[in-house]
Amino acid sequence: MRDLIPEPAQEPSCDERGWCHANAEGVVLDLYVQPNARVTEAVGEHDGALKIRLHAPPIDGRANEALLAWVATRLSLARRQIVLKSGQSSRRKRIQILALGLDVGELARKLSA
């Protein structure tokens, strides 16, 4: 009888540090954003989040919009599938990717490359 009970599914994570995890709507990313950089790029991890240097200035939501557009482009997704869940005026951001069935390992590779 015990063999018929399935094991509980574990949420996949992009890496052991946990800056990326799956949920019912798709994938959530924890990001640390540094605006006013020379070029927009991912530069590793910072305090459990993926660190993104962002070219846009943090004025009138331009940095947030640039971040969401950059993530969408890197992941080859439509911009409407990327939603800023928290951190509108903070360097620490939480982004929801509205897409089911994403390979989180591939997602991490695309963002980190």
Side-chain angles (χ1 to χ4, degrees):
M1 188 68 150
R2 287 177 91 73
D3 295 334
L4 299 177
I5 300 172
E7 291 290 321
Q10 293 183 356
E11 285 188 355
S13 64
C14 290
D15 64 5
E16 340 29 271
R17 293 165 189 84
W19 55 264
C20 170
H21 50 275
N23 68 7
E25 297 176 318
V27 177
V28 174
L29 302 176
D30 292 320
L31 305 176
Y32 181 83
V33 179
Q34 177 187 346
N36 283 329
R38 183 172 293 191
V39 54
T40 298
E41 62 185 348
V43 292
E45 291 187 27
H46 176 79
D47 194 26
L50 178 64
K51 183 176 180 179
I52 308 290
R53 288 188 185 140
L54 199 60
H55 180 69
I59 300 170
D60 298 327
R62 285 189 261 174
N64 288 337
E65 188 54 41
L67 174 66
L68 300 177
W70 180 82
V71 170
T73 300
R74 292 296 293 242
L75 300 178
S76 302
L77 296 172
R79 164 59 189 87
R80 68 182 176 274
Q81 292 179 276
I82 314 297
V83 179
L84 182 62
K85 297 298 272 187
S86 65
Q88 285 77 5
S89 60
S90 171
R91 287 183 178 226
R92 291 190 77 55
K93 314 260 184 216
R94 178 161 280 185
I95 291 178
Q96 174 72 56
I97 300 171
L98 301 170
L100 297 175
L102 290 175
D103 178 350
V104 291
E106 181 70 11
L107 182 141
R109 189 190 63 75
K110 286 181 177 181
L111 287 175
S112 299

